[in-house]
Amino acid sequence: MDLIISSKTSKPIYEQITSQIKEMVMTGKLKPGDPIPSMRALARSLHISVITVQKAYDALQVEGFIETAVGRGTFIAPVNRDFYQEEQQRQAESHLQAAAEIGRSCGIPVEKLQELLELFYREESE
């Protein structure tokens, strides 16, 4: 599992880990049942604290992305389509909010942003 931790961002390390693992799950790079490294192994490979990895894994478990089986390890949880769809919608909302803020600050009419969104949306389905 290739994770990239950046010190050049204000995003905490545990959030960098959780967001990258979520992305891998939602894109299918990690599938239900796939094992992920133990907390110690991941901490060692990233040269970070085990406590930081534990915080990331705890968040991923609460959100339903991973599950831990005592004595067996940690695995990607079975697919919960509703949850993943909600997570993807949340990500889309975040990007749309950023686009709206850019549009407002640059004076781009909302109609133009809507037109661009519809264009990009249709491109993918064609």
Side-chain angles (χ1 to χ4, degrees):
M1 184 167 61
D2 296 323
L3 298 176
I4 299 169
I5 303 302
S6 173
S7 59
K8 297 178 182 174
T9 179
S10 62
K11 192 175 197 180
I13 293 172
Y14 82 93
E15 285 184 11
Q16 292 180 51
I17 294 168
T18 58
S19 65
Q20 289 179 59
I21 291 176
K22 286 178 187 179
E23 184 68 25
M24 286 186 238
V25 170
M26 289 188 291
T27 60
K29 186 173 181 182
L30 289 174
K31 302 192 180 331
D34 284 351
I36 61 174
S38 70
M39 286 186 262
R40 285 192 183 109
L42 187 58
R44 203 172 24 254
S45 72
L46 296 175
H47 306 288
I48 61 173
S49 165
V50 173
I51 294 170
T52 302
V53 177
Q54 180 181 9
K55 190 171 183 179
Y57 278 23
D58 287 348
L60 288 165
Q61 192 157 355
V62 166
E63 294 180 28
F65 281 91
I66 64 172
E67 55 189 15
T68 301
V70 177
R72 290 188 52 230
T74 305
F75 303 88
I76 301 302
V79 176
N80 178 341
R81 297 249 182 248
D82 293 337
F83 179 78
Y84 290 156
Q85 186 172 4
E86 186 175 320
E87 178 66 20
Q88 289 173 326
Q89 182 174 330
R90 187 193 61 73
Q91 286 183 4
E93 288 171 2
S94 176
H95 290 291
L96 290 170
Q97 181 179 6
E101 290 169 4
I102 292 168
R104 265 194 308 275
S105 68
C106 296
I108 301 170
V110 69
E111 295 80 15
K112 182 64 177 175
L113 291 175
Q114 289 171 331
E115 179 183 319
L116 288 169
L117 177 61
E118 288 176 11
L119 176 70
F120 294 141
Y121 197 84
R122 277 190 241 117
E123 277 181 5
E124 282 297 313
S125 63
E126 292 176 359

